[in-house]
Amino acid sequence: MQNEVILIEDSSSDAELTIRVLRKKNIVKDVLWLKDGEEAIAYLQQGDLLADNPKLILLDLKLPKVDGISVLQEIKAHEEAKLVPVVILTSSDQEVDKISGYMSGANSYVVKPVEYEEFQAAIEEVGRYWLQRNTSRE
């Protein structure tokens, strides 16, 4: 099964809005939603990430069970996963989280806007840039 985007997000409302925007704006069709860090780690350990051919991973930092930085480190520990861009999409605007994210291999760090319309616009911008503008491995 091919998922163009892997979304690792514990908030169902944020995840549903993200998926809806990506599909409604015709940015992607297939999104795999992993609901916590433990589920994300299990997914990564089950096999070859590139067999699923994701073009982007959207990662929240404040996840239950296993935090987002640990998930990011696990992603970047897999040789094949180093080719997949990871965008941290989080509510945290703390400098320590930004530094940890970039030091762990994030390609981008986006603070989730609180306002509904701004959140939608941010998701659309991220999706269009990473999935349409950015030159990928293909």
Side-chain angles (χ1 to χ4, degrees):
M1 179 177 193
Q2 182 179 3
N3 293 295
E4 296 170 283
V5 172
I6 297 173
L7 173 62
I8 306 169
E9 170 64 66
D10 64 310
S11 165
S12 59
S13 59
D14 286 356
E16 289 166 7
L17 179 57
T18 299
I19 293 166
R20 187 169 49 246
V21 168
L22 292 173
R23 288 180 178 158
K24 184 178 178 182
K25 299 293 183 174
N26 295 315
I27 297 169
V28 295
K29 293 178 186 156
D30 298 309
V31 178
L32 173 63
W33 175 25
L34 303 172
K35 296 169 181 70
D36 61 51
E38 188 175 81
E39 187 178 354
I41 299 272
Y43 173 81
L44 289 167
Q45 293 176 342
Q46 77 181 356
D48 181 4
L49 179 69
L50 291 186
D52 206 23
N53 197 30
K55 293 177 177 60
L56 177 65
I57 297 173
L58 298 174
L59 173 64
D60 188 14
L61 284 187
K62 307 301 181 188
L63 296 169
K65 300 181 182 177
V66 178
D67 67 274
I69 293 296
S70 297
V71 172
L72 177 59
Q73 291 168 343
E74 181 71 24
I75 291 167
K76 295 302 181 175
H78 293 263
E79 196 61 35
E80 72 278 1
K82 290 179 181 178
L83 298 173
V84 181
V86 177
V87 174
I88 293 175
L89 186 61
T90 185
S91 57
S92 174
D93 196 18
Q94 294 184 6
E95 192 67 18
V96 66
D97 287 337
K98 293 174 189 176
I99 291 168
S100 293
Y102 283 121
M103 293 293 289
S104 298
N107 298 88
S108 185
Y109 191 105
V110 177
V111 177
K112 294 179 199 174
V114 177
E115 297 298 321
Y116 179 82
E117 290 80 16
E118 291 176 25
F119 187 94
Q120 283 185 301
I123 296 301
E124 183 176 1
E125 289 171 16
V126 166
R128 290 211 186 280
Y129 175 77
W130 286 102
L131 298 166
Q132 296 175 346
R133 297 267 185 227
N134 186 55
T135 303
S136 69
R137 66 184 188 279
E138 296 178 300

